[in-house]
Amino acid sequence: MVVSGIRCLLTYLVLPFLLPVLGLSDSVGPALSAPIGLVAIVFNVLSIRRFWRADHRLKWPVSTVNVLVIGLLCYLTVGDFIELAG
């Protein structure tokens, strides 16, 4: 979930404010967000696996949050790819 947090910081704080100042917001934003989103999805899946293998007592709540985050990441990453293609 740390990778997802970093992705959120980049996507919602750094990229919208820093890239326009540098004049790079149109092309660079989705090109950076898409791979970061994919990496975040992988790390969320690994987090779920780790909690289940350890038979952690909070595996259900953590898995629920991770699945919701993965769903949001999929939606946003698809949007980035559509923006890059069009």
Side-chain angles (χ1 to χ4, degrees):
M1 295 225 302
V2 171
V3 175
S4 292
I6 292 169
R7 188 207 65 82
C8 287
L9 283 173
L10 287 173
T11 302
Y12 299 117
L13 295 176
V14 174
L15 298 179
F17 296 108
L18 181 62
L19 291 182
V21 169
L22 300 174
L24 301 171
S25 61
D26 292 340
S27 60
V28 177
L32 288 174
S33 296
I36 292 170
L38 293 173
V39 170
I41 290 169
V42 169
F43 275 91
N44 277 287
V45 170
L46 293 175
S47 174
I48 292 171
R49 291 187 66 211
R50 188 172 43 250
F51 269 80
W52 279 84
R53 274 209 237 146
D55 197 28
H56 195 278
R57 66 179 182 87
L58 296 175
K59 64 185 173 188
W60 282 104
V62 169
S63 296
T64 302
V65 170
N66 277 324
V67 167
L68 293 172
V69 169
I70 288 169
L72 180 62
L73 286 168
C74 287
Y75 174 76
L76 294 171
T77 303
V78 167
D80 287 336
F81 282 120
I82 289 171
E83 193 170 330
L84 286 171

